[in-house]
């Protein structure tokens, strides 16, 4: 790959995960002569522009988007690509590496981006820093301990996240049972809000004129209320829709 000309390199500031996963996708299939936008249909317009700029910055494609350095990565395994990434980090971020090797601070790292790349926007500097930090750590280069930490989801390539234990599906009969470890059902007048064990939130507001509602409609609503109350433990019982409606129904039947 050709050496960058002085002042030519512009540090990418898109998500590193987007860049790294796109390379994986490209290298998993035969390379075309050019990496144009038709190869990025799944990406947003801004990501297409940023990916093209990043590949040009690292010498992977030429000015006309023709495949250049990218072809040298074709057929290489993950370890070889990681070694290539380490070379790119050391080659294109010498000022940042110097700050890192001196155990520099976050502010010194920001200053190095501002001074080395003539970057004025604080937001652009932050994004470029994040890309650099993810790239360095992915390449096995541990930055200064005083640099910001990086997290999966803010530009890192897919680190597996702990999976939530799936809640067991409940039958209509099971839903009416109160579980000792179930979450609490919040009742505010005739509004019921229940947070289920796996995260979903169910809110039901009951508005019913028991004198006009049919018996089947009332029974349907009462079953829903019973299911919600059976799943969680109510924080209060006064003013519930079923109690008010049940009493009104009884009074109506007594007078009929």
């Amino acid at each position: 790959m050709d050496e960058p000309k002085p002042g030519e390199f512009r540090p990418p500031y898109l998500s590193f995960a987007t860049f790294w996963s796109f390379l994986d996708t490209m290298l998993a299939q035969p390379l075309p002569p050019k990496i144009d936008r038709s190869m990025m249909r799944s990406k947003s317009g801004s990501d297409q522009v940023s990916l093209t700029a990043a590949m040009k910055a690292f010498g992977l494609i030429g000015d006309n988007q023709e495949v250049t350095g990218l072809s040298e990565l074709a057929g290489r395994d993950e370890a070889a690509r990681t070694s290539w990434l380490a070379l790119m980090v050391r080659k294109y971020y010498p000022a940042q590496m110097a700050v890192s090797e001196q155990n520099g601070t976050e502010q010194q790292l920001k200053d190095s981006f501002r001074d080395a790349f003539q970057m004025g926007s604080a937001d652009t500097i932050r994004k470029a820093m994040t890309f650099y930090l993810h790239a360095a750590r992915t390449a096995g280069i541990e930055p200064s301990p005083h640099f910001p930490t990086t997290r999966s989801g803010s530009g890192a390539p897919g680190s597996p996240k702990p999976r939530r234990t799936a809640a067991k599906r409940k039958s209509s009969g099971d839903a009416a049972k109160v579980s000792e470890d179930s979450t609490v059902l919040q009742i505010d007048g005739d509004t019921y809000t229940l947070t289920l064990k796996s995260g979903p939130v169910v809110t039901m507001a009951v508005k019913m004129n028991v004198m006009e509602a049919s018996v089947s409609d009332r029974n349907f609503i009462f079953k829903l209320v019973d299911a919600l109350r059976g799943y969680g433990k109510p924080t209060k019982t006064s003013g519930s829709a079923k109690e008010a409606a049940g009493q009104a129904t009884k009074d109506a039947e007594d007078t009929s």
Side-chain angles (χ1 to χ4, degrees), residues 6-256:
E8 183 179 356
F9 177 72
R10 299 300 298 170
Y13 50 88
L14 76 162
S15 160
F16 178 76
T18 299
F19 172 76
W20 198 236
S21 63
F22 181 75
L23 289 188
D24 282 342
T25 300
M26 288 297 97
L27 296 172
Q29 55 190 317
L31 290 173
K34 298 178 68 172
I35 305 296
D36 54 35
R37 291 201 177 193
S38 67
M39 301 295 293
M40 309 178 195
R41 288 195 183 98
S42 63
K43 307 298 181 185
S44 66
S46 60
D47 277 349
Q48 291 179 16
V49 172
S50 296
L51 276 170
T52 300
M55 287 188 290
K56 286 182 179 180
F58 290 122
L60 295 172
I61 60 176
D63 291 338
N64 296 317
Q65 297 178 235
E66 69 277 11
V67 171
T68 53
L70 192 60
S71 61
E72 297 181 24
L73 292 178
R76 295 192 183 184
D77 59 18
E78 184 178 354
R81 276 181 267 171
T82 301
S83 296
W84 168 84
L85 181 62
L87 176 64
M88 294 298 100
V89 171
R90 296 184 185 281
K91 175 177 169 181
Y92 289 102
Y93 295 91
Q96 291 68 42
M97 290 300 301
V99 173
S100 179
E101 289 166 1
Q102 295 170 7
N103 294 324
T105 66
E106 178 180 356
Q107 185 58 54
Q108 287 177 302
L109 181 62
K110 290 180 181 178
D111 292 342
S112 73
F113 273 90
R114 183 197 61 209
D115 298 338
F117 303 118
Q118 291 79 52
M119 303 178 78
S121 167
D123 187 56
T124 301
I125 290 175
R126 178 185 59 80
K127 291 178 180 178
M129 274 178 50
T130 301
F131 184 99
Y132 159 75
L133 290 169
H134 281 302
R137 289 184 171 122
T138 300
I141 302 172
E142 190 58 35
S144 164
H146 306 299
F147 286 177
T149 56
T150 51
R151 301 175 301 172
S152 178
S154 60
S159 301
K161 297 181 179 179
R163 292 185 178 180
R164 290 180 176 176
T165 302
K168 294 181 179 180
R169 293 183 178 178
K170 295 179 177 288
S171 65
S172 58
D174 292 337
K177 297 178 182 178
V178 177
S179 172
E180 292 181 356
D181 60 348
S182 63
T183 54
V184 175
L185 174 67
Q186 301 293 331
I187 302 176
D188 183 8
D190 288 337
T191 299
Y192 295 72
T193 301
L194 175 66
T195 301
L196 304 182
K197 295 178 183 178
S198 62
V201 177
V202 177
T203 300
M204 184 178 77
V206 179
K207 296 181 180 179
M208 177 176 64
N209 186 328
V210 295
M211 301 300 293
E212 296 179 357
S214 66
V215 173
S216 61
D217 285 349
R218 292 199 303 269
N219 289 339
F220 176 74
I221 293 173
F222 295 159
K223 286 180 180 179
L224 293 177
V225 173
D226 286 341
L228 289 174
R229 294 186 64 179
Y231 190 93
K233 294 181 180 179
T235 54
K236 61 178 181 177
T237 57
S238 62
S240 69
K242 181 178 177 181
E243 292 168 346
Q247 185 60 47
T249 301
K250 183 176 183 302
D251 293 343
E253 291 173 348
D254 290 342
T255 58
S256 61

